[in-house]
Amino acid sequence: MTDVKRIAVIAGDGIGPEVVAEAIKVMKRTEELFNYKFEFEFGLFGGIAIDETGTPLPEATLDMCKRADSVLLGAVGGPKWDNNSKELRPETGLLGIRKALGLFSNIRPAVVFDCLKDASTLKPEVLEGTDLIVVRELTGGIYFGEKFRREGERGQEAVDTCVYNVEEVERIVRQGFEVAQKRRKKLASVDKANVLETSRLWRETVNRIAPEYPDVELEHVLVDNCAMQLLRRPASFDVIVTENMFGDILSDEAAMLTGSIGMLSSASLGEGSFGLYEPVHGSAPDIAGQGIANPIATILSVALMFRLTFGYEDAANAIEAAVKQVLDAGHRTGDIAVDRSQAIGTEQMGNLIVAALSEQVVSA
Ligand code: IPM
Ligand code: MG
């Protein structure tokens, strides 16, 4: 009997529903091509959930995710909710779902596709061969530390605390070493150990467990220097492991190496095989509803889901090859087009990838 995989789908806000629709098409085609069986369940989350239920992360959605084998998320947020109080912000829902599902590890690959080298603002020769992964700690640090306001001697003060315990550091650092072991075996551990106590604990922990991974070449890089080196020698990085906020910032920077944030997928993982998969880009309210968003990041997130949660390596490779085939043939959405007048829409891009996927599998 075919193994049925339950996929919780959260389309979210802005371009979320448009790009998710294309990713679902891709998954449905893999059911036919690879004899998989998926059961999709749909839930509200983010701004649309605030509008319809009064909270960004309804219990029903969280329960749906807990029942599922994996989650596909589109994007959340938009100007409509930007001035809401903290409880009624889509971002609060995002942090809440990460925490509630125990997704402490965020994997963000940044790969420069050869045919898109010219789409980046950096010189093509600097980008040549760039293929890195940021492994970001996702449920600790300053994002989740105590936050408050108080009256100080000079008026109001705001406090955000950054806390990490050894266990939190250890599990993400191990994840970094393990990801590196499966790749080019180079790990850059990024911290601010010359200033921050949490970073000193981080570095001590990395050094303590590094001998368990003798095949991985380790370098410690201070976060400011890392920001610089990413622009200077991006191709020399393999895996970067870092804490929550540094990872937030560096993964956006890494994204821009590739030319478009519309290309980048991500996985958020916990202890088991369960994972939440989402494009790195946001809800892009400025182009929502126009059918011009790039669905590739979401489609590549499906490939990551297949590989990391389901172990469907062949289908993951086929999806990635299909994306490459379509790009090599010159098809572009507006965000990556050199000549915008030639750009195709979200649906067209999805259809081309679905067609290429069939060809990839038939010719394999
Ligand atoms: C991200 C986003 C989120 C984060 C925001 C929307 C809360 O920037 O996933 O990188 O900071 O983690
Ligand atoms: Mg971010």
Side-chain angles (χ1 to χ4, degrees):
M1 222 190 75
T2 332
D3 181 16
V4 180
K5 303 289 188 198
R6 293 156 86 102
I7 302 176
V9 180
I10 300 173
D13 307 315
I15 60 170
E18 297 163 59
V19 292
V20 161
E22 302 312 309
I24 289 180
K25 273 191 210 162
V26 169
M27 289 193 272
K28 290 202 163 147
R29 180 52 64 89
T30 64
E31 290 190 294
E32 296 158 14
L33 294 170
F34 293 88
N35 213 7
Y36 299 152
K37 186 85 196 87
F38 300 124
E39 225 172 73
F40 299 103
E41 214 182 327
F42 298 83
L44 290 173
F45 183 61
I48 184 173
I50 295 171
D51 289 351
E52 294 194 15
T53 73
T55 165
L57 175 54
E59 276 301 318
T61 300
L62 194 54
D63 289 344
M64 170 186 87
C65 294
K66 287 182 177 161
R67 278 197 300 276
D69 296 306
S70 72
V71 182
L72 181 69
L73 176 66
V76 292
K80 182 173 177 197
W81 307 282
D82 273 353
N83 298 319
N84 284 8
S85 65
K86 188 176 149 217
E87 296 69 39
L88 291 181
R89 289 186 64 111
E91 292 83 355
T92 305
L94 198 55
L95 299 186
I97 202 169
R98 289 171 179 170
K99 194 76 171 176
L101 298 174
L103 304 171
F104 64 85
S105 165
N106 185 218
I107 308 232
R108 295 185 169 183
V111 183
V112 175
F113 286 77
D114 242 13
C115 61
L116 290 182
K117 270 191 304 203
D118 296 322
S120 173
T121 49
L122 291 181
K123 293 188 187 127
E125 62 268 28
V126 173
L127 296 171
E128 188 79 53
T130 296
D131 175 358
L132 62 88
I133 291 188
V134 178
V135 176
R136 167 189 175 193
E137 202 291 325
L138 202 58
T139 51
I142 201 161
Y143 273 65
F144 290 92
E146 206 188 336
K147 310 179 184 313
F148 56 91
R149 299 280 179 104
R150 66 182 171 208
E151 273 318 304
E153 273 168 25
R154 298 178 180 204
Q156 206 178 70
E157 294 174 346
V159 181
D160 289 290
T161 43
C162 184
V163 182
Y164 269 111
N165 63 44
V166 177
E167 189 200 323
E168 285 171 321
V169 177
E170 200 173 314
R171 65 185 181 182
I172 191 71
V173 167
R174 284 189 186 284
Q175 177 82 251
F177 274 110
E178 279 157 30
V179 173
Q181 268 180 332
K182 295 192 195 111
R183 293 172 44 99
R184 301 197 305 278
K185 301 187 171 42
K186 281 167 59 174
L187 183 67
S189 168
V190 173
D191 61 37
K192 188 74 186 172
N194 52 349
V195 177
L196 300 178
E197 204 51 42
T198 42
S199 280
R200 284 193 271 270
L201 179 72
W202 178 280
R203 196 174 281 213
E204 272 166 39
T205 308
V206 173
N207 285 333
R208 178 167 50 76
I209 64 178
E212 296 175 40
Y213 305 88
D215 53 332
V216 177
E217 182 194 324
L218 168 71
E219 65 170 335
H220 294 285
V221 190
L222 293 171
V223 62
D224 48 346
N225 186 28
C226 184
M228 189 165 78
Q229 300 304 335
L230 268 174
L231 300 182
R232 203 170 71 104
R233 51 167 181 100
S236 73
F237 288 99
D238 179 17
V239 179
I240 292 174
V241 65
T242 191
E243 62 99 73
N244 203 344
M245 188 153 81
F246 298 162
D248 178 44
I249 298 167
L250 293 178
S251 62
D252 266 26
E253 188 187 358
M256 273 330 282
L257 299 171
T258 70
S260 171
I261 201 162
M263 301 287 299
L264 299 182
S265 57
S266 78
S268 301
L269 307 169
E271 296 290 356
S273 62
F274 179 88
L276 180 148
Y277 297 83
E278 60 179 317
V280 171
H281 62 68
S283 60
D286 52 323
I287 58 162
Q290 297 177 32
I292 58 171
N294 185 349
I296 291 181
T298 315
I299 291 170
L300 290 176
S301 298
V302 169
L304 264 189
M305 176 194 293
F306 282 10
R307 176 173 296 126
L308 301 178
T309 290
F310 302 149
Y312 292 167
E313 187 66 29
D314 289 349
N317 290 337
I319 293 171
E320 287 164 357
V323 168
K324 185 166 181 302
Q325 181 185 324
V326 170
L327 291 172
D328 283 343
H331 303 293
R332 303 280 187 272
T333 42
D335 57 320
I336 49 175
V338 178
D339 175 4
R340 291 214 167 200
S341 69
Q342 303 289 313
I344 60 171
T346 312
E347 242 189 277
Q348 270 173 298
M349 182 55 98
N351 292 344
L352 285 167
I353 293 170
V354 168
L357 181 60
S358 314
E359 283 174 38
Q360 288 291 336
V361 175
V362 171
S363 67

